[in-house]
Amino acid sequence: EDQVTQSPEALRLQEGESSSLNCSYTVSGLRGLFWYRQDPGKGPEFLFTLYSAGEEKEKERLKATLTKKESFLHITAPKPEDSATYLCAVWTGTASKLTFGTGTRLQVTL
Amino acid sequence: DAGVIQSPRHEVTEMGQEVTLRCKPISGHDYLFWYRQTMMRGLELLIYFNNNVPIDDSGMPEDRFSAKMPNASFSTLKIQPSEPRDSAVYFCASSFGGALSEAFFGQGTRLTVV
């Protein structure tokens, strides 16, 4: 059975304090790994899709990396507006199945 | 474009009643997805369409759930009869070019079945 585990469940950072969120997965036939951001009361907002091990993508203060077993979302010098829940999801081609992790709630304080 | 539009934003219904959720995708997008989000199970993909044709409905929990996409600009998710365990936030999303492409989500419909 496909499994996606995100850690930590919650993370509190001070503004400017860089850190990383982890998404580990056990799936067969990975076709893509997604990162989304979700603010309270809103739908998820797409951040990145990673397709193969070794791939990296960046957007502003965020950088996503992918290995054969996990993905990291690195947040450099975060700001309060980066506070949100970050969701990881994997798409497996065998059954065209999308499996989400439970998310990491990030809070960035002044 | 106004983005993905879902209606209603909130729905409260009694157990056993039929519920219909509506979605208007972004114009020009050829993929449409329906998701459900709960505290217990997180975000789950229920069904997705490509060019108005259902591709995979393996995430639909029971036969009480059905989804249609009669044209490129409209889709519905129907629950009949509804049960309290169907209470959740239902999201619709659309994308262009593939299931792995950037998907844009609507604001969601919060369904409460009492």
Side-chain angles (χ1 to χ4, degrees), chain A residues 27-58:
Chain A
V27 301
S28 57
L30 178 73
R31 292 186 59 194
L33 183 144
F34 299 88
W35 281 100
Y36 287 92
R37 166 199 172 121
Q38 187 173 24
D39 294 298
K42 295 189 175 181
E45 175 187 342
F46 174 88
L47 294 174
F48 306 106
T49 306
L50 302 170
Y51 296 94
S52 58
E55 189 175 2
E56 298 182 352
K57 288 190 176 177
E58 290 188 63

Side-chain angles (χ1 to χ4, degrees), chain B residues 11 13 17-21 77-80 82 111 113:
Chain B
E11 176 82 38
T13 190
Q17 295 298 305
E18 177 180 296
V19 176
T20 299
L21 311 181
L77 179 67
K78 185 177 294 185
I79 308 172
Q80 165 64 16
S82 58
L111 173 65
V113 183

Side-chain angles (χ1 to χ4, degrees), chain A residues 66-104:
Chain A
L66 181 65
T67 72
K68 289 186 177 180
K69 295 183 177 181
E70 60 191 348
S71 177
F72 290 94
L73 184 66
H74 307 278
I75 303 177
T76 302
K79 298 182 178 181
E81 53 261 42
D82 295 322
S83 298
T85 295
Y86 290 84
L87 297 166
C88 164
V90 295
W91 188 280
T92 54
T94 308
S96 292
K97 185 179 176 182
L98 184 66
T99 304
F100 277 86
T102 53
T104 294

Side-chain angles (χ1 to χ4, degrees), chain A residues 31-34 36 38 41-46 49 51 87 91 95-102, chain B residues 9 33 35 37 42-45 48 55-56 58 91 99-108 110:
Chain A
R31 292 186 59 194
L33 183 144
F34 299 88
Y36 287 92
Q38 187 173 24
K42 295 189 175 181
E45 175 187 342
F46 174 88
T49 306
Y51 296 94
L87 297 166
W91 188 280
S96 292
K97 185 179 176 182
L98 184 66
T99 304
F100 277 86
T102 53
Chain B
R9 289 293 311 278
F33 308 82
Y35 294 87
Q37 188 171 37
L43 198 59
E44 302 171 282
L45 176 62
Y48 74 98
I55 302 301
D56 191 327
S58 60
F91 289 104
L100 294 172
S101 301
E102 178 178 359
F104 294 82
F105 281 72
Q107 294 277 56
R110 182 174 294 278

Side-chain angles (χ1 to χ4, degrees), chain A residues 2-20:
Chain A
D2 296 341
Q3 287 194 332
V4 179
T5 303
Q6 290 189 247
S7 61
E9 286 188 16
L11 181 62
R12 186 179 177 126
L13 300 173
Q14 286 197 324
E15 185 175 14
E17 180 185 2
S18 302
S19 187
S20 296

